[in-house]
Amino acid sequence: MTAQEFRNAILLKRPRYAKSKIPVIEAFANKGQSKSEYSQFGPIYELYIYAFRLGLKKGLKLPLPPRNSTQDFIEIGKWKRDSSLVDFLLMIIFSHCDDIGFNWNELEDMDEKELNQVVGNIIDFIESYANGGLQYIQEEWENDNLINSSYLFVDLYK
C-alpha cells in the first residue's frame, strides 16, 4: 500500500462521539442558530478537531462508551474539503506513532489486516482525545467556568 492509499483509507473513516456530548456540541458548534450564549465554532467538525487538540494537549484520553451510546461523525475526508486542515491533523497524529502502533518504514510491507489495525488505532486515538476534550469543555461549561469572550477557545487551550 502506498502512502496515498493509506491516507485515503483514513479519510474514509467516520469517527464517533459520545451521545452524552450532544448538549455541549450544540452549545459550542453553530448548527444554524443565529445567537448563542458563547462564542461558537462553525460546523461541528471544527469543534471536534478543537476538542481533539485540547484533549491531546491536556493529556485527556477518554475512551468512548459502548457503540450504542455513540454517534457516527462525518468522514474525515469531508472535514474542510480542499484545505490542508486534515493533512495538518494527520501530521499531528503521525507525530504520535508510538501511541498508534505505526512505523512509516513498515507501511509497504504491511498486509491488509495490519493496515486496517493501524487505521483503527488512528481513529481510536482521535476519538479518545476528542472525547476527553469534549468532556473537559462540558465540565467547564457545567461548572460555569467559561467566560464568553472572543478568546474563549484560546483560553481553554492554555
Side-chain angles (χ1 to χ4, degrees):
M1 178 174 279
T2 67
Q4 185 61 43
E5 291 169 332
F6 181 60
R7 179 182 182 275
N8 289 340
I10 296 167
L11 296 182
L12 293 174
K13 295 298 182 183
R14 298 173 61 120
R16 297 174 294 136
Y17 59 92
K19 290 179 182 176
S20 63
K21 303 298 183 257
I22 291 175
V24 76
I25 289 170
E26 289 178 347
F28 292 97
N30 185 343
K31 296 179 66 175
Q33 300 169 341
S34 59
K35 293 184 179 180
S36 173
E37 183 179 345
Y38 295 97
S39 297
Q40 291 186 311
F41 283 93
I44 295 172
Y45 72 82
E46 289 179 358
L47 175 61
Y48 191 84
I49 292 169
Y50 175 79
F52 165 72
R53 290 288 297 128
L54 182 64
L56 189 60
K57 168 113 169 111
K58 293 188 174 286
L60 304 171
K61 188 172 186 177
L62 180 62
L64 286 176
R67 188 114 171 100
N68 63 346
S69 297
T70 64
Q71 187 162 323
D72 284 347
F73 195 57
I74 191 171
E75 295 94 343
I76 294 172
K78 292 183 179 176
W79 297 358
K80 200 74 170 176
R81 276 208 172 159
D82 300 325
S83 150
S84 58
L85 179 64
V86 171
D87 290 333
F88 176 71
L89 180 66
L90 291 175
M91 288 179 60
I92 292 168
I93 293 164
F94 293 142
S95 72
H96 294 270
C97 287
D98 291 340
D99 297 332
I100 59 176
F102 175 69
N103 182 324
W104 278 107
N105 295 328
E106 299 170 357
L107 178 63
E108 290 181 4
D109 297 327
M110 288 184 180
D111 62 28
E112 188 172 339
K113 183 179 177 184
E114 291 171 310
L115 285 167
N116 288 336
Q117 179 65 44
V118 170
V119 171
N121 290 348
I122 290 168
I123 301 308
D124 288 344
F125 185 81
I126 294 169
E127 291 171 338
S128 62
Y129 281 109
N131 193 41
L134 286 169
Q135 179 67 31
Y136 179 78
I137 295 169
Q138 182 174 349
E139 289 171 1
E140 291 296 300
W141 179 48
E142 289 173 350
N143 292 324
D144 209 19
N145 292 334
L146 301 179
I147 299 169
N148 191 21
S149 78
S150 54
Y151 300 107
L152 170 67
F153 299 109
V154 173
D155 293 340
L156 276 174
Y157 192 73
K158 285 184 180 176

